[in-house]
Amino acid sequence: MCTNTMIAALRALRCNQVALAGPLQRCMSTQTDGEIRIAKILKEKFPSASSLKVVDISGGCGAMYEIHIESNEFKGKRTVQQHQLVNQALKEEIQGMHGLRIFTDVPKQ
């Protein structure tokens, strides 16, 4: 049975087009080791990031991640350049992944 909180969370995920693989196998409030590791690297690389979200969209096995990051460091850069910065920051981690979705933006003032 879904609670109102779970329904609201699922609606938010659907609106943000976050893909969930298989049934919800883990609590939505916990992070995998991979999510924590990637978030730590990105926080170090982009210290002025105003928003950062890392989600393991492979069902928890760490094969594919989705990253949403807003940082002033992206200001004046094209989207492809912003994504290249994220890819460079995660160069070593990407080698063990099957896929990575990156969404970057500059914070709204």
Side-chain angles (χ1 to χ4, degrees):
M1 178 160 64
C2 289
T3 65
N4 288 339
T5 303
M6 289 172 63
I7 291 169
L10 291 171
R11 282 186 183 140
L13 288 171
R14 187 179 68 216
C15 291
N16 289 326
Q17 297 179 341
V18 175
L20 295 174
L24 293 174
Q25 297 175 351
R26 62 186 175 102
C27 179
M28 298 295 285
S29 64
T30 61
Q31 289 186 299
T32 65
D33 290 341
E35 290 169 340
I36 293 168
R37 185 178 66 254
I38 290 169
K40 181 177 184 277
I41 291 167
L42 292 173
K43 285 176 187 174
E44 290 171 1
K45 179 65 178 176
F46 302 101
S48 70
S50 60
S51 175
L52 174 62
K53 183 170 98 175
V54 179
V55 180
D56 182 339
I57 57 173
S58 64
C61 71
M64 188 164 180
Y65 291 90
E66 182 167 293
I67 295 169
H68 295 260
I69 183 169
E70 290 184 6
S71 177
N72 284 322
E73 290 152 286
F74 298 140
K75 195 170 194 165
K77 293 179 173 50
R78 296 180 320 225
T79 302
V80 69
Q81 294 171 316
Q82 296 171 11
H83 290 200
Q84 287 170 340
L85 290 172
V86 174
N87 280 319
Q88 184 61 35
L90 298 174
K91 186 177 180 178
E92 291 181 28
E93 285 69 27
I94 288 174
Q95 293 175 17
M97 294 181 198
H98 291 289
L100 180 64
R101 293 182 190 165
I102 302 172
F103 298 90
T104 56
D105 205 354
V106 176
K108 310 294 185 259
Q109 301 293 16

